[in-house]
C-alpha cells in the first residue's frame, strides 16, 4: 500500500467517527495548551527579571572588593579583555555645593576621567572634563539645587514629594559651583572653598526611583581635600576615604572569564553574569517543574486517545481481517493505527500552540492592567511586565511530549490489531 493510500485510509476512518475523534482531539489540545501556558509563566517571569537586572546596571561591569593586602591595580589592568578600571573615592564628610543662592548636599566622588571615558560613561548632555577644574554632575543635580526659601517652604508643607521645588531651571552647563566641606558632627563649614565648572550631566538612571546627585571630580583634588580636613579637624579618622573599584570588560562575553580570573587572584567580586547564572539555575529548575506538571495534563488526555484507538480496533476487526487476508503485513496494520493516533496528536498540538499564543498575548495585555488597578499605582505603567513568554524551544518540547504521548497511547491498540486472527475476524458479522 502506497503512503498516499495509507493517508486516505486513515482519513476515511477518522471521518466515520467525527464526534468521538473531535472530543479526543479537544482533550489532546487542552492538555498540550495547559503544558505550554503553564511553562510560559516560568519563561515570562525569567525574561522579566533578566530585563530588570540588565536595566539596573552595566552588563559589562564587575565590582571588585579589597583583599587583606589591598588591590593591585597594575595586576588587574594586565588582565586581557579589560576595557577600564574605574576607582571612585568619596570622603567621610558632607559635601555642600553652591550655585548663586542655591545649594545642595551632593556626593563628591573623585575619579580618573580617562578611565571613565574608557568605561563609556554616558552623558545626557555636555562633554567629559579636560582639566581638573571641570566636573560632571548627576542627572538630578540641577533639580535638587534649592534656595533656602524653597527648602523652608517645602519643609513647612510637610515635605511631600508632589510639592517639591523645581530647582534650577535652564541649562546648567558652563555654570560655576563652589564646594565646601562639613563634618557630620559639626554645624559649621570649613573656610576653604573650591570652584569648579560643570561641563557634563550624567545620563538618566535606568530606574525612576534612583536619584543621582553624584558629582564627579578629578582625583588630583584628593590630597588637598584630605589636607583641609586635617587642618580644621586634626586627626584623620579610620575609613575616612572609601574607594569603590569597578572593572569594565570589552564585552559581555568576557565578563565571566574576567570574573573567574579575579577570583583566582583572591579578590571578592560581583558581576551581573553571576547574578544571571544564579537566576538561570533557579528558573531552569522552576521551568522543569512546570513542564512536569503540564505533562501530567497531557498524560491524562492520553487516556482519551487510548480509548478512541481501542474502540477503533474493535470496530474494524472484520476490516483488519480482510486486509490481512489479501496480504497486508502486521507492520502495515500497526502503522495505520499509529498514523491515526499520531494525526490526533499533531492536530491537537497545532491547535494547542495557536491557543497558547493567544492566551499569552491576552495575559501580557490584561494582567498589567489588573495589577495596576489592584496596587493603585501608576509606577508600573512604564515597566515592561512579561507574565507569559513562549519561545520556540518550549513549543518544540511541548510538541514532542504531546505527539510522543499520543503515539505511545496508540501503540497498544495498534499492537492488538496485528494479533487479530484472520478467520475469526472474517466470521464476524458486518
Amino acid at each position: 500500500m502506497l503512503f498516499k493510500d495509507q493517508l486516505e485510509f486513515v482519513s476515511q476512518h477518522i471521518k466515520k467517527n467525527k464526534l468521538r475523534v473531535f472530543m479526543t482531539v479537544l482533550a489532546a489540545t487542552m492538555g498540550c495548551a495547559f503544558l505550554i501556558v503553564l511553562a510560559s509563566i516560568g519563561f515570562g517571569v525569567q525574561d522579566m527579571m533578566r530585563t530588570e537586572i540588565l536595566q539596573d546596571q552595566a552588563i559589562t561591569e564587575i565590582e571588585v572588593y579589597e583583599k587583606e593586602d589591598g588591590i593591585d591595580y597594575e595586576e588587574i589592568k594586565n588582565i586581557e579583555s579589560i576595557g577600564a578600571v574605574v576607582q571612585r573615592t568619596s570622603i567621610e564628610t558632607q559635601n555642600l555645593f553652591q550655585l548663586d543662592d542655591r545649594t545642595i548636599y551632593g556626593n563628591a566622588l573623585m575619579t580618573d576621567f580617562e578611565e571613565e571615558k574608557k568605561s563609556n560613561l554616558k552623558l545626557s548632555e555636555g562633554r567629559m572634563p579636560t582639566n581638573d577644574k571641570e566636573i560632571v554632575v548627576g542627572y538630578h543635580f540641577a533639580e535638587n539645587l534649592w534656595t533656602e526659601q524653597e527648602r523652608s517652604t517645602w519643609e513647612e508643607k510637610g515635605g511631600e514629594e508632589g510639592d517639591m521645588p523645581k530647582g534650577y531651571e535652564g541649562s546648567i552647563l558652563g555654570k560655576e559651583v563652589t564646594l565646601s566641606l562639613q563634618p557630620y558632627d559639626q554645624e559649621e563649614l570649613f573656610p576653604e572653598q573650591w570652584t569648579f565648572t560643570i561641563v557634563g550631566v550624567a545620563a538618566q538612571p535606568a530606574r525612576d526611583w534612583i536619584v543621582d546627585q553624584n558629582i564627579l571630580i578629578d582625583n588630583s583634588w584628593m590630597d588637598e581635600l584630605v589636607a583641609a580636613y586635617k587642618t580644621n579637624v586634626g586627626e584623620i579618622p579610620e575609613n575616612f576615604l572609601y574607594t569603590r573599584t569597578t572593572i569594565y570588560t570589552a564585552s559581555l562575553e568576557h565578563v565571566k572569564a574576567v570574573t573567574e580570573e579575579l577570583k583566582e587572584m583572591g579578590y571578592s567580586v560581583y558581576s551581573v553574569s553571576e547574578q544571571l547564572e544564579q537566576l538561570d539555575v533557579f528558573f531552569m529548575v522552576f521551568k522543569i517543574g512546570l513542564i512536569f506538571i503540564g505533562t501530567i495534563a497531557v498524560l491524562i488526555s492520553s487516556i482519551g486517545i487510548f480509548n478512541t484507538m481501542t474502540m477503533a480496533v474493535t470496530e474494524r476487526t472484520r476490516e483488519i481481517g480482510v486486509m490481512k487476508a489479501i496480504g497486508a503485513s502486521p507492520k502495515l496494520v500497526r502503522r495505520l493505527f499509529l498514523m491515526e493516533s499520531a494525526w490526533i496528536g499533531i492536530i491537537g498540538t497545532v491547535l494547542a500552540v495557536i491557543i497558547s499564543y493567544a492566551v499569552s498575548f491576552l495575559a501580557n495585555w490584561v494582567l498589567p492592567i489588573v495589577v495596576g488597578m489592584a496596587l493603585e499605582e501608576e509606577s508600573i505603567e512604564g515597566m515592561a511586565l512579561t507574565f507569559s513568554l513562549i519561545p520556540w524551544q518550549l513549543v518544540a518540547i511541548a510538541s514532542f511530549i504531546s505527539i510522543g504521548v499520543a503515539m505511545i497511547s496508540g501503540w497498544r491498540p495498534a499492537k492488538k490489531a496485528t494479533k487479530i486472527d484472520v478467520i475469526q475476524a472474517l466470521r464476524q458479522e458486518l
Side-chain angles (χ1 to χ4, degrees):
M1 183 181 288
L2 298 175
F3 183 71
K4 176 183 176 182
D5 297 328
Q6 295 176 26
L7 291 176
E8 183 65 25
F9 178 85
V10 172
S11 176
Q12 288 178 358
H13 287 88
I14 288 174
K15 291 177 181 178
K16 288 181 181 179
N17 299 282
K18 292 182 180 179
L19 181 59
R20 186 170 66 197
V21 172
F22 170 77
M23 296 304 295
T24 307
V25 170
L26 180 62
T29 300
M30 293 176 63
C32 184
F34 179 77
L35 166 61
I36 296 175
V37 172
L38 185 64
S40 73
I41 296 174
F43 283 94
V45 175
Q46 180 184 16
D47 180 75
M48 181 167 57
M49 293 188 68
R50 284 178 65 94
T51 302
E52 290 294 311
I53 291 172
L54 293 176
Q55 284 181 347
D56 283 343
Q57 51 197 300
I59 58 176
T60 60
E61 182 180 294
I62 304 173
E63 290 186 27
V64 182
Y65 303 97
E66 288 189 7
K67 51 184 179 180
E68 292 183 0
D69 55 348
I71 297 179
D72 187 341
Y73 295 102
E74 292 303 321
E75 180 186 33
I76 291 177
K77 289 181 180 180
N78 289 329
I79 299 175
E80 293 184 6
S81 306
I82 286 185
V85 179
V86 175
Q87 300 169 254
R88 292 184 176 181
T89 303
S90 60
I91 55 178
E92 195 63 21
T93 61
Q94 297 186 83
N95 313 128
L96 179 67
F97 289 85
Q98 184 169 356
L99 172 59
D100 299 331
D101 60 340
R102 297 177 178 274
T103 59
I104 180 176
Y105 279 100
N107 185 24
L109 300 173
M110 287 161 282
T111 185
D112 184 343
F113 283 110
E114 289 302 320
E115 293 295 325
E116 295 283 359
K117 290 177 184 177
K118 293 179 183 178
S119 70
N120 296 318
L121 176 66
K122 296 180 180 179
L123 302 178
S124 61
E125 56 179 329
R127 60 175 174 80
M128 294 293 286
T130 56
N131 60 68
D132 61 2
K133 285 286 188 177
E134 296 178 340
I135 61 174
V136 172
V137 298
Y139 184 82
H140 300 99
F141 181 84
E143 65 185 56
N144 287 282
L145 271 173
W146 298 348
T147 63
E148 287 302 319
Q149 179 63 37
E150 288 175 337
R151 187 172 285 105
S152 60
T153 302
W154 179 67
E155 291 174 352
E156 288 174 1
K157 290 182 179 180
E160 294 293 333
E161 186 175 349
D163 297 324
M164 291 178 63
K166 294 182 179 180
Y168 187 90
E169 298 183 272
S171 178
I172 201 170
L173 295 179
K175 303 297 181 181
E176 290 189 346
V177 295
T178 58
L179 166 63
S180 302
L181 301 183
Q182 178 184 356
Y184 289 104
D185 56 353
Q186 295 184 17
E187 296 183 0
E188 294 183 0
L189 298 168
F190 292 168
E192 296 88 351
Q193 290 187 334
W194 299 269
T195 303
F196 301 96
T197 302
I198 300 173
V199 296
V201 179
Q204 183 177 4
R207 293 280 141 251
D208 293 337
W209 46 266
I210 297 178
V211 178
D212 182 9
Q213 297 181 180
N214 293 330
I215 298 91
L216 300 182
I217 301 172
D218 190 85
N219 57 17
S220 61
W221 292 95
M222 188 182 304
D223 292 339
E224 188 169 339
L225 296 180
V226 173
Y229 186 93
K230 189 172 183 179
T231 300
N232 290 275
V233 178
E235 184 180 355
I236 301 296
E238 189 177 354
N239 299 324
F240 179 67
L241 296 175
Y242 172 74
T243 300
R244 179 188 176 189
T245 303
T246 307
I247 292 175
Y248 294 86
T249 61
S251 65
L252 178 60
E253 289 74 21
H254 298 109
V255 172
K256 186 174 182 180
V258 173
T259 299
E260 293 299 325
E261 191 164 349
L262 288 169
K263 286 182 177 179
E264 291 176 3
M265 292 179 179
Y267 295 105
S268 297
V269 298
Y270 168 79
S271 66
V272 178
S273 64
E274 289 194 315
Q275 189 172 355
L276 291 179
E277 282 182 5
Q278 295 171 1
L279 187 71
D280 289 342
V281 170
F282 169 78
F283 274 102
M284 182 180 67
V285 176
F286 181 57
K287 288 183 292 187
I288 290 174
L290 293 177
I291 291 174
F292 176 77
I293 295 173
T295 302
I296 294 176
V298 176
L299 291 174
I300 293 173
S301 70
S302 70
I303 297 174
I305 299 175
F306 178 83
N307 181 63
T308 297
M309 297 309 301
T310 301
M311 292 291 293
V313 172
T314 304
E315 293 172 353
R316 300 177 200 168
T317 300
R318 182 179 177 81
E319 188 175 345
I320 294 169
V322 172
M323 290 175 59
K324 296 179 74 173
I326 61 177
S329 65
K331 288 184 178 180
L332 176 60
V333 174
R334 182 170 58 245
R335 186 186 308 122
L336 291 173
F337 283 95
L338 286 177
M339 287 175 63
E340 188 170 335
S341 63
W343 184 91
I344 293 174
I346 292 171
I347 297 299
T349 300
V350 171
L351 293 175
V353 171
I354 296 172
I355 293 172
S356 298
Y357 273 106
V359 172
S360 178
F361 174 79
L362 290 174
N364 291 329
W365 177 46
V366 175
L367 288 180
I369 299 175
V370 175
V371 172
M373 294 174 61
L375 297 177
E376 297 182 354
E377 294 182 0
E378 298 181 356
S379 58
I380 68 167
E381 291 183 0
M383 296 177 62
L385 298 180
T386 305
F387 292 94
S388 175
L389 178 65
I390 305 177
W392 68 267
Q393 295 93 330
L394 175 57
V395 174
I397 293 171
S399 300
F400 176 79
I401 292 174
S402 181
I403 297 174
V405 168
M407 294 188 68
I408 292 172
S409 300
W411 177 262
R412 180 79 178 178
K415 187 176 181 181
K416 179 182 177 183
T418 63
K419 295 182 178 181
I420 292 177
D421 183 77
V422 176
I423 297 175
Q424 293 295 329
L426 294 175
R427 286 177 179 176
Q428 185 173 329
E429 295 183 1
L430 293 173

